[in-house]
Amino acid sequence: MIKKSIYALYTLLIVCIGFATIIEKYRGTAYVSDNIYGAWWFVVLWALLTAASVAYMVKAKLYRRMAVALLHFSFVVILAGALTTWLTAERGTVSLRTGKTLNSYTDNKGGERTLPFSLTLKRFNVVNYPGTDAAQDYQSVVSVKQDGESHDVIISMNNIGAAESYRLFQSSFDSDMNGVTLGVYRDPIGIAVTYTGYLLFLLGVVCTLLSRKTEVRSLYRKAVQVTCIAMMLCCGTSASAANAEMVDADVAHSFGSVNVLYNSRICPVNTVATDFVTKLAGKPTWNGYSADEIFMSWMIYYSSWEEQKIIRIKSSSVQRMLGIDGQWASYSDFIDHYNEYKLKDAIANMQSGKNVEDRKGLLDADEKFHVVEMFYKGQMLRIFPYQTKGSINWYTPGSQVLPRDIPVKEQFFIKQAMDFLTESIVTGQQPRAFEIIAKIKLFQKDMAGSVLPSKAITNAEITYNRMNSQRWVVFLSLTLGLLICVATNASWRFTQRRWFRHATLAYVSVLAAYLTALLAMRWWVGNHIPVSNGYETMQFMAWALLIITLLLHRKFPIIIGFGTLIAAFCLLVAMLAGGSPQITQLMPVLQSPLLSVHVMTVMCAYALFALQVLLGIQSLWLLRKNDIAALERSTALSMLLLYPAVFLLGIGIFLGAVWANVSWGTYWSWDPKETWALITFMVYAVPLHRASVPTFSNPRTYHIYIICAFVTVLTTYFGVNFILGGMHSYA
C-alpha cells in the first residue's frame, strides 16, 4: 500500500510540474506561482510523498544500509528546508527614488510590510563596457539606517546587499535612471536547512559509490566486457571568404607577438586576436586563416572585412531582425540603410524590463557587435606603454590626448607608428613592416621592460593558443576513444594482440602528454593552477582521467576503453564551453565558478544519459538476436552509468541552486529550466530503485524506459530554450 502511494504521488508530481511549465508559457509566471507552485495542494502533495517515503524507509529498515539511507534522508531534509521557506520566507519588492527614504516593502500579495530599518537610494549607475553603450552591470548605492546609525550598501547584479536578516537584490530600474526596484528576501532558516540537505546528498553520493553494500561494484564486474556504441560528430562551416583582402601571414604572425594590455594582463596580440575571432565565429580560425591574419587584415582592410560573413548568429529571431539567411552575418548586416544599429530598439526594450524574444540570443548578438565596435575604437590594442610618476599607462595607436610629460618624440611614435605600419603593408613593403614591428617591441622594452613577460612566456602563450585552437585533436580523440571502447569491450580477437595493446597505450600516452603540455603552459602563462573555471576544469578532468588510465590499465584493462572515451567527452565539453570566450568583461555574476561547475556537471550527466540511449538501442537489438550474455553485460553497463549520471545531475542542480541564491537572492524559483532539470532527475532516479520496482529487472522494460526518459533531457536542453522560455538558457 505504501509503495503504491509513493508511485502515485511521485508520478502525479512529475506530471503537475511538467504541465505547469506549459501553462506558464500561456498564463504567465505569476499565475502558476499562485495557483500551482505556491498552492496549498501542491505543498500537500510533496508532504504526503515525503511522509510515505519516510514510512517506507523505516519499514524497509533502510538504516541498515547507511550510505543509501543517508542519500534518501538528504531529500527529506531538502524538502523540509523547502517547506520552511514556503512557510516562513518573506519576499517582495521595494521601489526607491533618489533621496527618498522608505522603511517598508510590498510583498507578493500587494500588502505593505514594515522593515526594521530604512532605505535611501543615494545613486544608481549603469556601468557600461569601456567605450560602449552596452550595459555591463547595474549598481545601486543604498543607505541603510537603523537605531540612528547608517551605512552604505552596494547592490548590483552580482552583489546582494544584506541588512539584518534581509537580502536586497537588483530587480529593475526606472527609465530616468533616478529610481530602482529592489527585490527583498528573508529566509535564514529555510536556506540553512536546505543547504544542510545539499551537503548530506553529496556525502550520500560519495558513500554510495564507495560502499560495498550497494550494487555499483557488482554492476561493474558484469559490465567488464560490454560493447559500446560508436558515435560520429560533424561540424558546420561558415560562409566563404570571397573578396577578403589579407595581410601577409608572416607579418601578421610577427605582429601577433607584440605585447598588449588586455583584460588587465600583459599578453601577446595573438591572444587578443584569438579571442576576437573566437568570439565572432565560434572558433579561433576561419576559412583557413589564422586569428593573427584575420585580426590584422580587418584592422588594415576594414572595408572588405565588414562584408565578410564571419559572425555566427544562432538565434533565429535575431536572424530575422538582421535580415540574414542562415547563421552567418557580416558586420554590415547589423547596420540599416540609415546607418542605425538594427538591434537598438530590441536591446532598449530588454533593458527597460519588457519581454523580448530569445533574450540570450539577443544579448549574444549585441555583445558580438560591440566587440567589433571596441575593436574599431582601438580598445583592444593598448600596445604603447609609458611610465610616469611610478606607474605605467598603456595607450592605443593614434592616441591624440597624451600626458604633457611624454616627450614629443615618444608622442609622435605613439600617434604615428601604426599609420606607418599600415602604409608599409598596403604598399607591399614587407621589410619595412617587419622593421616597424621591431621598433614597437623596442619601444615597449624601453618604456616597460620591467613588467613585460619574458620572450619565453610570450612564445609559450602563442604556442598554447595555436595548440588549443586545433579542434581536430578533440574530434580525433573522441573518434579514437569511441573506437577503442568498442574494440576493447567487444573482446574482438585482434584486441588481444600485443600490437593493439601497445598502440592503444601509446595513443593514451601521447594524448596525456599533449594535455600535460597544454595545462603546464596555461599554468605558467596564467600564473595559477588551471582549475579556475569550467573550461580549465574540464581539461584538467580529461588529463586526470588519462593519468588514472595509465596508472591502472594493467590491473583493470577495461579502463582503457572507458577512460579514453570519458576523457574525450570532457575535451568535447571543454571545447564547446570555450566556443564563446569572453573578450569584454561579462557581468561578474556570470563569471562565478559555481556557474561554470554547475553547467559542466549537468553537461557530463547529459552525456552519460545519451550514451545510455545508445546502449539501450544496442541492447534491444541483442534481445532480438537472443544474445543473452552480451545483453547482460550491456544492461549492466547502462545501469552502472546510471549512478554517476543521476548523481552528477543532482549535484549540478544543487550547485545551480547555491549559485542562484548567492547571485540572485533565491535558491529555487521554479523557472522552466530548473523545473525540467528536476523532472529529468526524478525520471532517471526511478530505475535506481530496482529492488522496489521489480519491473525494471526485465532488460526490455529497463532499456525502453531509459530511451524514453531521454525525452526529458531533450526538453530540458532544447525545449525550454526554444519553446517554453524562462530566465535560464545554458544549452
Side-chain angles (χ1 to χ4, degrees):
M1 182 63 181
I2 297 178
K3 283 204 299 185
K4 290 182 179 179
S5 299
I6 294 175
Y7 298 160
L9 291 168
Y10 197 84
T11 304
L12 183 58
L13 277 169
I14 291 176
V15 172
C16 284
I17 59 181
F19 272 106
T21 61
I22 299 173
I23 295 171
E24 181 178 354
K25 178 176 176 62
Y26 298 100
R27 299 298 296 271
T29 302
Y31 180 85
V32 294
S33 295
D34 293 338
N35 295 283
I36 299 179
Y37 300 133
W40 64 267
W41 61 266
F42 188 71
V43 177
V44 169
L45 283 179
W46 282 106
L48 290 175
L49 176 62
T50 304
S53 299
V54 171
Y56 186 77
M57 289 164 58
V58 174
K59 180 180 178 181
K61 299 180 180 180
L62 202 62
Y63 53 84
R64 293 181 176 179
R65 302 166 62 197
M66 186 55 63
V68 179
L70 184 62
L71 194 64
H72 287 76
F73 180 68
S74 69
F75 290 104
V76 176
V77 176
I78 291 171
L79 290 173
L83 179 62
T84 304
T85 295
W86 185 73
L87 292 173
T88 65
E90 300 177 27
R91 54 174 65 84
T93 59
V94 56
S95 297
L96 300 175
R97 297 287 296 177
T98 304
K100 183 179 178 180
T101 300
L102 290 176
N103 64 348
S104 64
Y105 71 94
T106 304
D107 63 24
N108 286 347
K109 297 181 180 179
E112 289 292 319
R113 292 201 177 193
T114 303
L115 292 168
F117 48 82
S118 62
L119 300 172
T120 305
L121 178 63
K122 299 182 70 172
R123 62 181 179 275
F124 170 75
N125 299 314
V126 177
V127 181
N128 293 329
Y129 287 117
T132 77
D133 58 359
Q136 180 183 13
D137 202 359
Y138 308 114
Q139 293 184 349
S140 300
V141 179
V142 177
S143 176
V144 179
K145 186 175 182 180
Q146 185 178 24
D147 298 331
E149 297 183 359
S150 62
H151 64 279
D152 290 347
V153 174
I154 298 177
I155 303 168
S156 64
M157 296 302 293
N158 69 306
N159 183 38
I160 293 177
E164 291 291 319
S165 57
Y166 290 85
R167 311 176 78 202
L168 307 172
F169 54 93
Q170 192 72 40
S171 179
S172 62
F173 60 93
D174 298 344
S175 57
D176 63 359
M177 311 292 285
N178 288 316
V180 298
T181 298
L182 301 178
V184 180
Y185 191 73
R186 182 174 182 268
D187 180 32
I189 301 176
I191 291 174
V193 175
T194 302
Y195 276 22
T196 301
Y198 293 165
L199 292 174
L200 290 175
F201 175 79
L202 181 59
L203 182 60
V205 167
V206 174
C207 292
T208 300
L209 293 175
L210 297 180
S211 175
R212 295 182 178 181
K213 296 183 179 181
T214 63
E215 65 173 348
V216 175
R217 297 195 179 193
S218 63
L219 288 173
Y220 172 78
R221 287 191 293 268
K222 290 180 181 179
V224 167
Q225 294 182 345
V226 72
T227 301
C228 292
I229 303 295
M231 293 181 288
M232 300 302 293
L233 296 175
C234 61
C235 56
T237 57
S238 58
S240 64
N243 303 319
E245 297 183 75
M246 300 301 301
V247 170
D248 178 77
D250 292 335
V251 174
H253 294 321
S254 178
F255 186 71
S257 64
V258 173
N259 286 304
V260 60
L261 183 66
Y262 176 66
N263 281 347
S264 302
R265 187 173 72 88
I266 301 174
C267 61
V269 170
N270 173 263
T271 296
V272 182
T274 300
D275 285 358
F276 175 76
V277 177
T278 303
K279 184 61 186 177
L280 299 183
K283 55 183 179 180
T285 59
W286 182 74
N287 284 320
Y289 297 118
S290 68
D292 288 336
E293 293 175 276
I294 295 171
F295 188 80
M296 195 169 192
S297 297
W298 197 325
M299 185 168 57
I300 304 297
Y301 304 112
Y302 56 89
S303 296
S304 69
W305 275 93
E306 287 181 354
E307 305 299 326
Q308 302 306 311
K309 300 285 187 178
I310 190 174
I311 304 175
R312 190 175 186 183
I313 305 296
K314 297 181 181 179
S315 170
S316 58
S317 63
V318 177
Q319 292 171 13
R320 291 193 298 271
M321 293 181 196
L322 299 179
I324 60 175
D325 184 16
Q327 292 190 354
W328 297 95
S330 66
Y331 174 78
S332 298
D333 289 327
F334 286 80
I335 309 298
D336 62 18
H337 296 297
Y338 301 100
N339 203 34
E340 291 287 335
Y341 179 37
K342 291 182 180 179
L343 304 182
K344 181 179 179 181
D345 292 340
I347 294 295
N349 289 335
M350 182 185 64
Q351 291 178 341
S352 64
K354 296 180 181 179
N355 290 328
V356 296
E357 185 178 359
D358 195 354
R359 177 186 177 93
K360 176 189 174 183
L362 184 61
L363 285 171
D364 182 65
D366 180 65
E367 183 181 9
K368 291 180 178 182
F369 173 79
H370 283 94
V371 163
V372 181
E373 290 288 284
M374 291 180 64
F375 169 75
Y376 278 148
K377 292 175 182 178
Q379 295 173 2
M380 294 182 180
L381 214 58
R382 299 172 66 183
I383 61 174
F384 296 108
Y386 192 83
Q387 185 168 350
T388 177
K389 296 180 181 180
S391 63
I392 298 176
N393 295 316
W394 291 73
Y395 301 97
T396 60
S399 295
Q400 298 302 314
V401 181
L402 296 172
R404 294 182 179 180
D405 57 350
I406 298 181
V408 175
K409 181 179 179 181
E410 281 73 16
Q411 289 200 29
F412 179 79
F413 187 80
I414 294 173
K415 292 179 179 180
Q416 300 297 325
M418 287 303 297
D419 291 338
F420 293 148
L421 179 59
T422 300
E423 179 186 4
S424 64
I425 291 173
V426 172
T427 57
Q429 302 179 57
Q430 291 187 20
R432 184 167 180 254
F434 286 118
E435 181 182 349
I436 295 172
I437 292 173
K439 288 183 178 180
I440 293 175
K441 292 180 179 179
L442 183 61
F443 180 89
Q444 292 182 337
K445 185 176 181 180
D446 290 341
M447 300 299 167
S450 60
V451 299
L452 294 180
S454 66
K455 186 176 180 179
I457 291 180
T458 298
N459 290 336
E461 184 162 356
I462 293 174
T463 302
Y464 172 82
N465 291 337
R466 290 174 180 170
M467 288 178 62
N468 206 41
S469 66
Q470 303 302 314
R471 293 192 166 195
W472 64 267
V473 175
V474 177
F475 290 111
L476 178 62
S477 65
L478 184 62
T479 302
L480 292 178
L482 288 165
L483 291 176
I484 292 172
C485 187
V486 169
T488 55
N489 292 300
S491 298
W492 290 338
R493 187 172 300 176
F494 71 83
T495 61
Q496 308 303 318
R497 304 285 180 84
R498 180 177 296 180
W499 66 265
F500 178 81
R501 294 198 299 271
H502 287 336
T504 302
L505 186 60
Y507 158 70
V508 177
S509 301
V510 169
L511 185 58
Y514 172 81
L515 286 180
T516 301
L518 279 181
L519 292 172
M521 284 188 287
R522 191 174 183 109
W523 189 345
W524 187 24
V525 171
N527 198 30
H528 65 81
I529 300 175
V531 290
S532 62
N533 55 47
Y535 180 81
E536 293 178 344
T537 301
M538 292 307 295
Q539 279 199 332
F540 183 85
M541 186 182 299
W543 174 83
L545 281 165
L546 293 173
I547 296 301
I548 292 173
T549 299
L550 291 173
L551 292 174
L552 302 180
H553 76 281
R554 289 184 181 275
K555 189 172 183 179
F556 305 103
I558 190 175
I559 204 171
I560 283 282
F562 290 117
T564 54
L565 177 61
I566 300 174
F569 270 115
C570 290
L571 292 177
L572 178 64
V573 173
M575 183 187 73
L576 295 176
S580 183
Q582 67 176 56
I583 291 181
T584 58
Q585 294 288 340
L586 296 177
M587 294 175 63
V589 65
L590 300 180
Q591 299 177 4
S592 169
L594 281 173
L595 176 61
S596 298
V597 178
H598 155 65
V599 175
M600 295 304 152
T601 303
V602 172
M603 289 298 295
C604 286
Y606 290 168
L608 292 174
F609 289 144
L611 185 57
Q612 282 185 287
V613 171
L614 297 178
L615 284 168
I617 295 172
Q618 182 201 36
S619 297
L620 294 178
W621 178 68
L622 292 172
L623 260 172
R624 190 172 182 180
K625 289 181 60 180
N626 200 30
D627 190 344
I628 303 302
L631 174 64
E632 289 182 354
R633 293 193 295 268
S634 180
T635 303
L637 177 60
S638 179
M639 292 179 176
L640 179 65
L641 293 178
L642 186 61
Y643 280 91
V646 172
F647 291 162
L648 284 172
L649 180 57
I651 292 171
I653 291 173
F654 297 149
L655 283 173
V658 174
W659 167 71
N661 193 41
V662 170
S663 302
W664 303 99
T666 178
Y667 62 87
W668 193 264
S669 59
W670 291 108
D671 180 73
K673 177 70 77 172
E674 60 192 24
T675 299
W676 271 98
L678 175 61
I679 292 173
T680 302
F681 178 82
M682 294 176 69
V683 167
Y684 273 98
V686 173
L688 290 178
H689 299 79
R690 286 182 294 280
S692 302
V693 190
T695 183
F696 287 114
S697 298
N698 184 319
R700 183 189 301 274
T701 303
Y702 169 80
H703 289 295
I704 290 176
Y705 181 92
I706 288 294
I707 294 171
C708 293
F710 197 66
V711 173
T712 62
V713 176
L714 296 177
T715 303
T716 307
Y717 196 63
F718 297 109
V720 173
N721 286 1
F722 300 113
I723 300 175
L724 298 178
M727 294 184 298
H728 295 71
S729 187
Y730 52 78

